[in-house]
Amino acid sequence: TQPFIRIKLKEGIVSIGNKNIEFKPFHIVFYTHLLRQKIERCPYPDKLYCMDCYDCFIQINDLAAPGITEIMAKDYEIIYGQHSDHVYNFRTKWKDGIDLSKLRSDRSKINKDIIENLEDETLATYYTITSLRKWGGTRFGVRVEKGKIRIE
């Protein structure tokens, strides 16, 4: 079975089972956004298990939209405090949306951190950010079961 994944935003820690992984602020905010997609935007809320469903995966172009910057900024506020310069700088830098190349690059860095810390490639496939090329666009998401996610 898949271990629980706990996101501790304020501490910058992602816990998968008994492994604690320290994430950079942007990485934890980006990763948390993808996990929230599973919980909040699942088109099948009555289904207990995701299995091979990827309908909650988000198009990379949608991740780069200005509205997503504001959603992610709310998590930055949890990390740094509402009136922090870090939050202001994040909003200012990405007011027109987050650069696609940054999203792709940071996806790779997040996945590398997860794989190195879990030391189990099979298990890591459930927690790394998956990229699906479908219907003319790339979609990002995390395969872990939605019932295993805890965001604090």
Side-chain angles (χ1 to χ4, degrees), residues 7-12 28 32 36 75 78-79 151-152:
I7 305 295
K8 300 171 187 173
L9 278 166
K10 203 141 183 75
E11 292 88 17
I28 199 164
T32 299
R36 277 202 180 107
D75 284 338
I78 292 170
I79 296 168
I151 300 171
E152 302 168 8

Side-chain angles (χ1 to χ4, degrees), residues 120-151:
D120 179 339
E121 282 191 45
T122 304
L123 185 61
T125 61
Y126 293 103
Y127 299 95
T128 52
I129 300 171
T130 301
S131 170
L132 290 179
R133 284 167 181 71
K134 267 178 132 169
W135 306 300
T138 301
R139 300 161 70 90
F140 280 178
V142 183
R143 293 180 53 215
V144 66
E145 292 294 336
K146 60 188 174 188
K148 297 287 186 173
I149 301 168
R150 302 292 180 268
I151 300 171

Side-chain angles (χ1 to χ4, degrees), residues 30-49:
F30 176 32
Y31 192 69
T32 299
H33 183 74
L34 294 174
L35 290 175
R36 277 202 180 107
Q37 288 291 120
K38 290 196 78 82
I39 300 166
E40 297 172 3
R41 298 178 78 48
C42 173
Y44 313 104
D46 296 337
K47 277 190 170 180
L48 291 178
Y49 301 104

Side-chain angles (χ1 to χ4, degrees), residues 1-138:
T1 62
Q2 297 172 15
F4 278 92
I5 180 167
R6 285 184 169 70
I7 305 295
K8 300 171 187 173
L9 278 166
K10 203 141 183 75
E11 292 88 17
I13 301 287
V14 173
S15 298
I16 301 172
N18 60 359
K19 295 276 187 183
N20 291 330
I21 308 167
E22 213 172 308
F23 271 40
K24 291 179 181 176
F26 181 79
H27 290 176
I28 199 164
V29 166
F30 176 32
Y31 192 69
T32 299
H33 183 74
L34 294 174
L35 290 175
R36 277 202 180 107
Q37 288 291 120
K38 290 196 78 82
I39 300 166
E40 297 172 3
R41 298 178 78 48
C42 173
Y44 313 104
D46 296 337
K47 277 190 170 180
L48 291 178
Y49 301 104
C50 304
M51 307 290 273
D52 290 328
C53 176
Y54 305 109
D55 290 352
C56 65
F57 282 28
I58 185 170
Q59 288 244 354
I60 189 169
N61 291 339
D62 293 340
L63 275 171
I68 300 299
T69 301
E70 188 50 39
I71 292 168
M72 289 185 186
K74 298 290 183 197
D75 284 338
Y76 255 79
E77 288 177 358
I78 292 170
I79 296 168
Y80 290 115
Q82 195 171 5
H83 303 292
S84 165
D85 284 345
H86 293 287
V87 177
Y88 173 80
N89 292 339
F90 177 81
R91 283 188 168 115
T92 303
K93 183 173 185 174
W94 303 115
K95 70 181 182 304
D96 296 324
I98 299 167
D99 186 65
L100 289 175
S101 62
K102 176 170 180 55
L103 293 173
R104 286 187 189 102
S105 170
D106 286 18
R107 169 192 172 248
S108 296
K109 292 172 186 172
I110 291 166
N111 286 351
K112 183 175 180 267
D113 285 346
I114 291 169
I115 290 165
E116 285 177 0
N117 281 278
L118 284 186
E119 301 168 351
D120 179 339
E121 282 191 45
T122 304
L123 185 61
T125 61
Y126 293 103
Y127 299 95
T128 52
I129 300 171
T130 301
S131 170
L132 290 179
R133 284 167 181 71
K134 267 178 132 169
W135 306 300
T138 301

